Amino acid sequence: MDLYQKIRTIPTQPGCYLYKNAEGEVIYVGKAKNLRARVRSYFLDASQANAKTGSLMREAVDVEYITVANEHEALALENNLIKQKKPRFNILLRDDKTYPYIKLTLSDRYPKVFVTRRLRKDGSAYFGPYFPGNLAYRLVDLIHRTFLIPSCKVDLSRYHPRACLQYYIKRCLGPCVEGLTTPEAYRQTVRDVQLFLEGKPNELEQSLTTRMEEAAETQQFELAARLRDQLVTLHQMQDKQRIATTDNEDADVFGYHYENEMLAVNLFHMRGGKIVDRRDFFWEDLPEFLSETLNENPDEANPNLEPNPKVSAPEIDEDAPAALDIVQHTAVSELGGTFNPAEFFSALLKQLYLDQSYVPRSVLVPVEFPDRVILAELLTERTGRRVEILAPQRGEKRSLVDLVCQNAKQSYDQRFRVLQPSIKAIQEALQDALTLEELPRRIECFDISHIQGAETVASMVVWEDGAMKKSDYRKFQVKTVTGVDDFASMREIIQRRYKRLLDDNKPFPSLILIDGGLGQLHAAYAALEEIGVTLQPLASIAKKEEIIYVYGQENEPVVLDRRSPVLHLVQKIRDESHRFAVTYHRKRREMRDRDSELLAIPGVGPRTRQRLLEHFGSIRGIKQASPDALTAVVSTATAESIRAHFDTESKATALPVLND
């Protein structure tokens, strides 16, 4: 049965579907309310234009499915299948760090207490996870000293001839030797430990107090003293908890930073209103998680990478071509993809929380994602208390998410940028990559900024001996070019800059870097050639492709690995030149607005002009304002003058130009 025929047999129930390749490997697992509609939607042209879906459908030759009762079960099954099969087209949790739990082996004859990082269905009670990680070890140590429950590897299913050192230093009740303790007393102590770990101090305090008084009455003073010490420890723990818990809110807060197909995610754990620990996650080489939203209407764009099940797929005819032939026309490699945080956080939260025994009351994420409500409901059912997954847009919670995103950016820099070779090693690598004659000690980078040719400006930033040298930054107004002409603008600026260096007999930089492609590169060289400079090293970096063109070897552009420190250096310099150019351009526009044509209108002076600009925001806003809107700021006569001025101007620009 081929793929088309199999799709007809898929039921309309909720469940999970598994796409397989020619080798029988599961390459993608998904869930759906309606399995048939979801699977058929993968054959839509718009779905296959998506970079990920197109790649998936070129490899898929078979599909299997598992039906379940509802969407909650589908969500849980999807998570289990992804962890089992590890499909290439699913986002996988690649962090091997797990937080510790405290394990109480209730199924044993004499239960022990351990720190563990694995949850098993072995009849034991698990408590946690604990943040930070050493908290679990400190609590187990406290249990040893206070409740005398052991964590040794001694086989307690039988008695031994003598006890170990832990018994003699008062760290164990000695269940390994017959007669040192009784099963009833040991079970009572285990119950106390359970109450302690379950966070039921009142019930534990009442039990300890009653037994301490009974022991004192029967003159069992050693037992009474031990119970008294346990009460003191319990009171100390309660006091510390009251001090730390002002807000009494448990929350996990996520943030991320994505760049160059590499991703850093930070997770902050808040317990009792305080940040107690953090986790770092990193993903490299994420091309299969890129998505392309081809829908021009953003309100209709599906934030999930999967096809939209609400859009009906075409009926499948008997004579339809093979599945692989459908997508041959889709040039996925030519589509520009962007990281889809919605799908990523949907997959990440499922893998993090669905198998956990403890989930905090609130989970804060930086973006909305499709499964958020369903996942929160499922976690609420599993934990027995309400769990909220929120994507805050404003307020304190949004500020907290932004803080975690800032930390994710720092983690990204640490992982992919800061931990890099020395400056000299980078300089040598740059010299080798661009075939420079000497070590690049000084780089000057140029960028042009304008809005449709208006207020065209340029910037020059300087990198020298491993750092940006802001004292040498320069900004330029383009004087001889009108309209949109980046090449002519670059030519003017380069010529002005280096003609002055020649006239002042100052040294040239090791490398001139241009923000742009081959056109800007050739324009810069033409400017240098006009002033007689022909041996100056010159290169440009194209924004989209991140390809470096070196003048003289344009047919062999330099394509560096996206994790290369050399590429990161060039990008850093390029981004700084762009930032500096845009900042200067904005200042020029503000100056232009201050000296606007409003002053030429009768009845409009500096103060009136200022009020109009503050009220309408710009000259364009004033031009589009009706007379009634203008009278809210100025008098009726002045409003009529302003309206007449702009009406005359618009009529003049609308007149046809007659050629002789």
Side-chain angles (χ1 to χ4, degrees), residues 108-144:
D108 292 348
R109 179 187 177 191
Y110 289 104
K112 302 177 184 178
V113 62
F114 296 102
V115 174
T116 182
R117 292 179 183 269
R118 287 189 177 184
L119 301 179
R120 301 179 184 274
K121 295 181 179 180
D122 55 3
S124 301
Y126 291 87
F127 305 90
Y130 289 96
F131 312 101
N134 62 4
L135 176 59
Y137 292 93
R138 286 188 276 126
L139 286 176
V140 167
D141 183 66
L142 177 66
I143 291 170
H144 290 335

mmCIF file of all heavy atoms in Angstrom, residues 108-144:
data_model
loop_
_atom_site.group_PDB
_atom_site.id
_atom_site.type_symbol
_atom_site.label_atom_id
_atom_site.label_comp_id
_atom_site.label_asym_id
_atom_site.label_seq_id
_atom_site.Cartn_x
_atom_site.Cartn_y
_atom_site.Cartn_z
ATOM 1 N N ASP A 108 11.493 -1.768 50.687
ATOM 2 C CA ASP A 108 12.486 -2.591 51.392
ATOM 3 C C ASP A 108 11.997 -2.946 52.799
ATOM 4 O O ASP A 108 11.133 -2.272 53.372
ATOM 5 C CB ASP A 108 13.827 -1.855 51.493
ATOM 6 C CG ASP A 108 14.499 -1.699 50.141
ATOM 7 O OD1 ASP A 108 14.049 -2.354 49.184
ATOM 8 O OD2 ASP A 108 15.466 -0.922 50.046
ATOM 9 N N ARG A 109 12.605 -3.982 53.362
ATOM 10 C CA ARG A 109 12.284 -4.382 54.743
ATOM 11 C C ARG A 109 12.623 -3.265 55.708
ATOM 12 O O ARG A 109 11.831 -2.923 56.594
ATOM 13 C CB ARG A 109 13.051 -5.651 55.076
ATOM 14 C CG ARG A 109 12.838 -6.166 56.494
ATOM 15 C CD ARG A 109 13.777 -7.323 56.777
ATOM 16 N NE ARG A 109 13.667 -7.810 58.132
ATOM 17 C CZ ARG A 109 14.525 -8.669 58.682
ATOM 18 N NH1 ARG A 109 15.555 -9.121 57.974
ATOM 19 N NH2 ARG A 109 14.357 -9.086 59.916
ATOM 20 N N TYR A 110 13.803 -2.694 55.554
ATOM 21 C CA TYR A 110 14.208 -1.519 56.315
ATOM 22 C C TYR A 110 14.574 -0.428 55.289
ATOM 23 O O TYR A 110 15.668 -0.434 54.725
ATOM 24 C CB TYR A 110 15.423 -1.817 57.196
ATOM 25 C CG TYR A 110 15.129 -2.711 58.374
ATOM 26 C CD1 TYR A 110 15.501 -4.049 58.378
ATOM 27 C CD2 TYR A 110 14.475 -2.206 59.503
ATOM 28 C CE1 TYR A 110 15.234 -4.866 59.453
ATOM 29 C CE2 TYR A 110 14.194 -3.027 60.585
ATOM 30 C CZ TYR A 110 14.568 -4.355 60.559
ATOM 31 O OH TYR A 110 14.296 -5.166 61.648
ATOM 32 N N PRO A 111 13.652 0.485 55.022
ATOM 33 C CA PRO A 111 13.888 1.502 53.989
ATOM 34 C C PRO A 111 15.125 2.361 54.276
ATOM 35 O O PRO A 111 15.470 2.634 55.429
ATOM 36 C CB PRO A 111 12.612 2.345 54.028
ATOM 37 C CG PRO A 111 11.572 1.424 54.571
ATOM 38 C CD PRO A 111 12.290 0.569 55.575
ATOM 39 N N LYS A 112 15.779 2.787 53.187
ATOM 40 C CA LYS A 112 16.925 3.685 53.247
ATOM 41 C C LYS A 112 16.574 4.976 52.509
ATOM 42 O O LYS A 112 15.562 5.057 51.816
ATOM 43 C CB LYS A 112 18.145 3.039 52.603
ATOM 44 C CG LYS A 112 18.583 1.712 53.215
ATOM 45 C CD LYS A 112 19.770 1.156 52.433
ATOM 46 C CE LYS A 112 20.179 -0.213 52.948
ATOM 47 N NZ LYS A 112 21.296 -0.783 52.153
ATOM 48 N N VAL A 113 17.441 5.941 52.660
ATOM 49 C CA VAL A 113 17.246 7.218 51.980
ATOM 50 C C VAL A 113 18.483 7.521 51.139
ATOM 51 O O VAL A 113 19.614 7.370 51.613
ATOM 52 C CB VAL A 113 16.946 8.356 52.987
ATOM 53 C CG1 VAL A 113 18.086 8.573 53.945
ATOM 54 C CG2 VAL A 113 16.591 9.646 52.262
ATOM 55 N N PHE A 114 18.253 7.883 49.862
ATOM 56 C CA PHE A 114 19.342 8.135 48.925
ATOM 57 C C PHE A 114 19.097 9.441 48.167
ATOM 58 O O PHE A 114 17.970 9.932 48.093
ATOM 59 C CB PHE A 114 19.451 7.026 47.868
ATOM 60 C CG PHE A 114 19.790 5.677 48.405
ATOM 61 C CD1 PHE A 114 18.817 4.709 48.562
ATOM 62 C CD2 PHE A 114 21.097 5.361 48.723
ATOM 63 C CE1 PHE A 114 19.126 3.452 49.035
ATOM 64 C CE2 PHE A 114 21.417 4.103 49.201
ATOM 65 C CZ PHE A 114 20.435 3.153 49.356
ATOM 66 N N VAL A 115 20.161 9.939 47.554
ATOM 67 C CA VAL A 115 20.050 10.979 46.525
ATOM 68 C C VAL A 115 20.163 10.284 45.176
ATOM 69 O O VAL A 115 21.066 9.481 44.957
ATOM 70 C CB VAL A 115 21.155 12.048 46.665
ATOM 71 C CG1 VAL A 115 21.092 13.033 45.500
ATOM 72 C CG2 VAL A 115 21.012 12.775 47.984
ATOM 73 N N THR A 116 19.231 10.554 44.283
ATOM 74 C CA THR A 116 19.238 9.923 42.965
ATOM 75 C C THR A 116 18.835 10.936 41.907
ATOM 76 O O THR A 116 18.200 11.961 42.214
ATOM 77 C CB THR A 116 18.277 8.720 42.918
ATOM 78 O OG1 THR A 116 18.361 8.109 41.631
ATOM 79 C CG2 THR A 116 16.844 9.154 43.184
ATOM 80 N N ARG A 117 19.200 10.658 40.666
ATOM 81 C CA ARG A 117 18.818 11.517 39.546
ATOM 82 C C ARG A 117 17.920 10.772 38.556
ATOM 83 O O ARG A 117 17.615 11.301 37.497
ATOM 84 C CB ARG A 117 20.068 12.050 38.826
ATOM 85 C CG ARG A 117 20.864 13.020 39.688
ATOM 86 C CD ARG A 117 22.101 13.522 38.972
ATOM 87 N NE ARG A 117 22.877 14.395 39.847
ATOM 88 C CZ ARG A 117 22.743 15.702 39.928
ATOM 89 N NH1 ARG A 117 21.852 16.309 39.184
ATOM 90 N NH2 ARG A 117 23.492 16.417 40.738
ATOM 91 N N ARG A 118 17.527 9.582 38.902
ATOM 92 C CA ARG A 118 16.653 8.801 38.030
ATOM 93 C C ARG A 118 15.400 8.389 38.778
ATOM 94 O O ARG A 118 15.464 7.928 39.916
ATOM 95 C CB ARG A 118 17.365 7.553 37.516
ATOM 96 C CG ARG A 118 18.435 7.843 36.469
ATOM 97 C CD ARG A 118 18.928 6.551 35.846
ATOM 98 N NE ARG A 118 19.897 6.791 34.798
ATOM 99 C CZ ARG A 118 20.439 5.845 34.046
ATOM 100 N NH1 ARG A 118 20.096 4.571 34.260
ATOM 101 N NH2 ARG A 118 21.312 6.129 33.105
ATOM 102 N N LEU A 119 14.264 8.539 38.116
ATOM 103 C CA LEU A 119 12.988 8.118 38.691
ATOM 104 C C LEU A 119 12.627 6.760 38.120
ATOM 105 O O LEU A 119 12.622 6.569 36.901
ATOM 106 C CB LEU A 119 11.895 9.137 38.356
ATOM 107 C CG LEU A 119 12.128 10.564 38.852
ATOM 108 C CD1 LEU A 119 10.977 11.457 38.437
ATOM 109 C CD2 LEU A 119 12.295 10.594 40.357
ATOM 110 N N ARG A 120 12.323 5.833 38.989
ATOM 111 C CA ARG A 120 11.960 4.484 38.560
ATOM 112 C C ARG A 120 10.654 4.070 39.237
ATOM 113 O O ARG A 120 10.344 4.526 40.345
ATOM 114 C CB ARG A 120 13.055 3.469 38.922
ATOM 115 C CG ARG A 120 14.418 3.768 38.306
ATOM 116 C CD ARG A 120 15.437 2.725 38.752
ATOM 117 N NE ARG A 120 16.764 3.020 38.270
ATOM 118 C CZ ARG A 120 17.233 2.654 37.077
ATOM 119 N NH1 ARG A 120 16.448 1.989 36.250
ATOM 120 N NH2 ARG A 120 18.465 2.956 36.715
ATOM 121 N N LYS A 121 9.929 3.202 38.601
ATOM 122 C CA LYS A 121 8.708 2.654 39.184
ATOM 123 C C LYS A 121 9.073 1.385 39.953
ATOM 124 O O LYS A 121 8.872 0.261 39.486
ATOM 125 C CB LYS A 121 7.688 2.362 38.087
ATOM 126 C CG LYS A 121 7.192 3.609 37.373
ATOM 127 C CD LYS A 121 6.153 3.281 36.314
ATOM 128 C CE LYS A 121 5.662 4.553 35.643
ATOM 129 N NZ LYS A 121 4.645 4.278 34.587
ATOM 130 N N ASP A 122 9.652 1.571 41.147
ATOM 131 C CA ASP A 122 10.147 0.448 41.942
ATOM 132 C C ASP A 122 9.529 0.403 43.327
ATOM 133 O O ASP A 122 10.042 -0.271 44.223
ATOM 134 C CB ASP A 122 11.671 0.519 42.050
ATOM 135 C CG ASP A 122 12.158 1.854 42.600
ATOM 136 O OD1 ASP A 122 11.307 2.706 42.961
ATOM 137 O OD2 ASP A 122 13.384 2.063 42.660
ATOM 138 N N GLY A 123 8.420 1.131 43.518
ATOM 139 C CA GLY A 123 7.763 1.132 44.816
ATOM 140 C C GLY A 123 8.343 2.119 45.808
ATOM 141 O O GLY A 123 7.840 2.243 46.928
ATOM 142 N N SER A 124 9.390 2.843 45.423
ATOM 143 C CA SER A 124 9.993 3.831 46.318
ATOM 144 C C SER A 124 9.248 5.153 46.220
ATOM 145 O O SER A 124 8.538 5.432 45.241
ATOM 146 C CB SER A 124 11.470 4.036 45.966
ATOM 147 O OG SER A 124 12.201 2.832 46.072
ATOM 148 N N ALA A 125 9.430 5.995 47.229
ATOM 149 C CA ALA A 125 8.872 7.349 47.225
ATOM 150 C C ALA A 125 9.981 8.323 46.818
ATOM 151 O O ALA A 125 11.094 8.256 47.348
ATOM 152 C CB ALA A 125 8.316 7.704 48.597
ATOM 153 N N TYR A 126 9.673 9.208 45.864
ATOM 154 C CA TYR A 126 10.642 10.176 45.377
ATOM 155 C C TYR A 126 10.179 11.577 45.750
ATOM 156 O O TYR A 126 9.007 11.917 45.597
ATOM 157 C CB TYR A 126 10.801 10.073 43.860
ATOM 158 C CG TYR A 126 11.473 8.795 43.400
ATOM 159 C CD1 TYR A 126 10.712 7.646 43.170
ATOM 160 C CD2 TYR A 126 12.840 8.737 43.217
ATOM 161 C CE1 TYR A 126 11.314 6.464 42.757
ATOM 162 C CE2 TYR A 126 13.455 7.548 42.799
ATOM 163 C CZ TYR A 126 12.684 6.429 42.571
ATOM 164 O OH TYR A 126 13.278 5.266 42.154
ATOM 165 N N PHE A 127 11.125 12.384 46.212
ATOM 166 C CA PHE A 127 10.829 13.760 46.613
ATOM 167 C C PHE A 127 11.799 14.684 45.881
ATOM 168 O O PHE A 127 12.998 14.435 45.824
ATOM 169 C CB PHE A 127 10.984 13.928 48.125
ATOM 170 C CG PHE A 127 10.162 12.953 48.930
ATOM 171 C CD1 PHE A 127 10.687 11.725 49.309
ATOM 172 C CD2 PHE A 127 8.858 13.245 49.285
ATOM 173 C CE1 PHE A 127 9.945 10.817 50.031
ATOM 174 C CE2 PHE A 127 8.098 12.340 50.022
ATOM 175 C CZ PHE A 127 8.645 11.123 50.396
ATOM 176 N N GLY A 128 11.268 15.784 45.356
ATOM 177 C CA GLY A 128 12.120 16.708 44.626
ATOM 178 C C GLY A 128 11.448 17.128 43.336
ATOM 179 O O GLY A 128 10.236 16.966 43.172
ATOM 180 N N PRO A 129 12.206 17.647 42.365
ATOM 181 C CA PRO A 129 13.664 17.863 42.393
ATOM 182 C C PRO A 129 14.051 19.021 43.316
ATOM 183 O O PRO A 129 13.223 19.875 43.623
ATOM 184 C CB PRO A 129 13.989 18.199 40.934
ATOM 185 C CG PRO A 129 12.730 18.819 40.413
ATOM 186 C CD PRO A 129 11.600 18.117 41.102
ATOM 187 N N TYR A 130 15.321 19.034 43.703
ATOM 188 C CA TYR A 130 15.821 20.035 44.640
ATOM 189 C C TYR A 130 16.764 21.006 43.932
ATOM 190 O O TYR A 130 17.618 20.605 43.140
ATOM 191 C CB TYR A 130 16.545 19.348 45.812
ATOM 192 C CG TYR A 130 15.592 18.623 46.727
ATOM 193 C CD1 TYR A 130 15.350 17.262 46.575
ATOM 194 C CD2 TYR A 130 14.902 19.293 47.727
ATOM 195 C CE1 TYR A 130 14.458 16.587 47.401
ATOM 196 C CE2 TYR A 130 14.003 18.631 48.560
ATOM 197 C CZ TYR A 130 13.791 17.285 48.392
ATOM 198 O OH TYR A 130 12.898 16.623 49.209
ATOM 199 N N PHE A 131 16.564 22.277 44.218
ATOM 200 C CA PHE A 131 17.378 23.350 43.652
ATOM 201 C C PHE A 131 17.961 24.170 44.797
ATOM 202 O O PHE A 131 17.211 24.589 45.685
ATOM 203 C CB PHE A 131 16.527 24.267 42.779
ATOM 204 C CG PHE A 131 15.663 23.538 41.799
ATOM 205 C CD1 PHE A 131 14.316 23.340 42.047
ATOM 206 C CD2 PHE A 131 16.188 23.052 40.628
ATOM 207 C CE1 PHE A 131 13.518 22.683 41.155
ATOM 208 C CE2 PHE A 131 15.386 22.390 39.712
ATOM 209 C CZ PHE A 131 14.048 22.203 39.985
ATOM 210 N N PRO A 132 19.256 24.463 44.786
ATOM 211 C CA PRO A 132 20.271 23.912 43.892
ATOM 212 C C PRO A 132 20.526 22.445 44.198
ATOM 213 O O PRO A 132 20.004 21.898 45.164
ATOM 214 C CB PRO A 132 21.499 24.762 44.193
ATOM 215 C CG PRO A 132 21.309 25.199 45.591
ATOM 216 C CD PRO A 132 19.823 25.377 45.789
ATOM 217 N N GLY A 133 21.362 21.818 43.380
ATOM 218 C CA GLY A 133 21.558 20.372 43.471
ATOM 219 C C GLY A 133 22.073 19.902 44.808
ATOM 220 O O GLY A 133 21.707 18.819 45.276
ATOM 221 N N ASN A 134 22.915 20.706 45.466
ATOM 222 C CA ASN A 134 23.493 20.249 46.738
ATOM 223 C C ASN A 134 22.482 20.265 47.880
ATOM 224 O O ASN A 134 22.758 19.749 48.958
ATOM 225 C CB ASN A 134 24.720 21.087 47.105
ATOM 226 C CG ASN A 134 24.375 22.553 47.316
ATOM 227 O OD1 ASN A 134 23.212 22.949 47.268
ATOM 228 N ND2 ASN A 134 25.392 23.365 47.540
ATOM 229 N N LEU A 135 21.301 20.868 47.660
ATOM 230 C CA LEU A 135 20.284 20.891 48.707
ATOM 231 C C LEU A 135 19.827 19.471 49.042
ATOM 232 O O LEU A 135 19.606 19.139 50.217
ATOM 233 C CB LEU A 135 19.088 21.745 48.267
ATOM 234 C CG LEU A 135 17.907 21.784 49.238
ATOM 235 C CD1 LEU A 135 18.329 22.315 50.596
ATOM 236 C CD2 LEU A 135 16.768 22.611 48.654
ATOM 237 N N ALA A 136 19.695 18.621 48.047
ATOM 238 C CA ALA A 136 19.277 17.238 48.299
ATOM 239 C C ALA A 136 20.286 16.520 49.183
ATOM 240 O O ALA A 136 19.914 15.784 50.108
ATOM 241 C CB ALA A 136 19.109 16.493 46.981
ATOM 242 N N TYR A 137 21.561 16.740 48.939
ATOM 243 C CA TYR A 137 22.597 16.089 49.741
ATOM 244 C C TYR A 137 22.597 16.628 51.173
ATOM 245 O O TYR A 137 22.822 15.887 52.132
ATOM 246 C CB TYR A 137 23.967 16.290 49.096
ATOM 247 C CG TYR A 137 24.105 15.559 47.778
ATOM 248 C CD1 TYR A 137 23.822 16.198 46.583
ATOM 249 C CD2 TYR A 137 24.491 14.226 47.745
ATOM 250 C CE1 TYR A 137 23.929 15.523 45.371
ATOM 251 C CE2 TYR A 137 24.600 13.549 46.532
ATOM 252 C CZ TYR A 137 24.320 14.203 45.351
ATOM 253 O OH TYR A 137 24.424 13.528 44.154
ATOM 254 N N ARG A 138 22.330 17.916 51.317
ATOM 255 C CA ARG A 138 22.284 18.490 52.668
ATOM 256 C C ARG A 138 21.091 17.948 53.449
ATOM 257 O O ARG A 138 21.179 17.712 54.654
ATOM 258 C CB ARG A 138 22.230 20.014 52.584
ATOM 259 C CG ARG A 138 23.571 20.637 52.179
ATOM 260 C CD ARG A 138 23.564 22.151 52.281
ATOM 261 N NE ARG A 138 22.996 22.762 51.090
ATOM 262 C CZ ARG A 138 21.995 23.628 51.087
ATOM 263 N NH1 ARG A 138 21.407 23.944 52.232
ATOM 264 N NH2 ARG A 138 21.556 24.155 49.977
ATOM 265 N N LEU A 139 19.955 17.760 52.771
ATOM 266 C CA LEU A 139 18.782 17.222 53.450
ATOM 267 C C LEU A 139 18.990 15.760 53.858
ATOM 268 O O LEU A 139 18.585 15.345 54.952
ATOM 269 C CB LEU A 139 17.556 17.336 52.537
ATOM 270 C CG LEU A 139 16.967 18.736 52.369
ATOM 271 C CD1 LEU A 139 15.830 18.727 51.366
ATOM 272 C CD2 LEU A 139 16.468 19.282 53.707
ATOM 273 N N VAL A 140 19.618 14.988 52.970
ATOM 274 C CA VAL A 140 19.895 13.586 53.331
ATOM 275 C C VAL A 140 20.844 13.508 54.516
ATOM 276 O O VAL A 140 20.677 12.677 55.424
ATOM 277 C CB VAL A 140 20.466 12.829 52.103
ATOM 278 C CG1 VAL A 140 21.056 11.482 52.517
ATOM 279 C CG2 VAL A 140 19.369 12.608 51.067
ATOM 280 N N ASP A 141 21.837 14.383 54.521
ATOM 281 C CA ASP A 141 22.749 14.422 55.668
ATOM 282 C C ASP A 141 21.994 14.787 56.944
ATOM 283 O O ASP A 141 22.249 14.221 58.020
ATOM 284 C CB ASP A 141 23.864 15.427 55.399
ATOM 285 C CG ASP A 141 24.887 15.466 56.519
ATOM 286 O OD1 ASP A 141 25.601 14.455 56.717
ATOM 287 O OD2 ASP A 141 24.963 16.497 57.222
ATOM 288 N N LEU A 142 21.062 15.730 56.840
ATOM 289 C CA LEU A 142 20.244 16.108 57.996
ATOM 290 C C LEU A 142 19.395 14.925 58.466
ATOM 291 O O LEU A 142 19.246 14.685 59.678
ATOM 292 C CB LEU A 142 19.344 17.287 57.622
ATOM 293 C CG LEU A 142 18.374 17.774 58.705
ATOM 294 C CD1 LEU A 142 19.137 18.359 59.885
ATOM 295 C CD2 LEU A 142 17.410 18.792 58.144
ATOM 296 N N ILE A 143 18.846 14.156 57.534
ATOM 297 C CA ILE A 143 18.044 12.979 57.894
ATOM 298 C C ILE A 143 18.905 11.941 58.601
ATOM 299 O O ILE A 143 18.481 11.322 59.582
ATOM 300 C CB ILE A 143 17.383 12.396 56.632
ATOM 301 C CG1 ILE A 143 16.301 13.369 56.110
ATOM 302 C CG2 ILE A 143 16.766 11.025 56.915
ATOM 303 C CD1 ILE A 143 15.758 13.008 54.740
ATOM 304 N N HIS A 144 20.132 11.745 58.119
ATOM 305 C CA HIS A 144 21.037 10.804 58.783
ATOM 306 C C HIS A 144 21.292 11.222 60.237
ATOM 307 O O HIS A 144 21.220 10.406 61.159
ATOM 308 C CB HIS A 144 22.380 10.740 58.036
ATOM 309 C CG HIS A 144 22.288 10.074 56.705
ATOM 310 N ND1 HIS A 144 21.324 9.155 56.395
ATOM 311 C CD2 HIS A 144 23.064 10.192 55.589
ATOM 312 C CE1 HIS A 144 21.493 8.742 55.149
ATOM 313 N NE2 HIS A 144 22.548 9.362 54.643
#
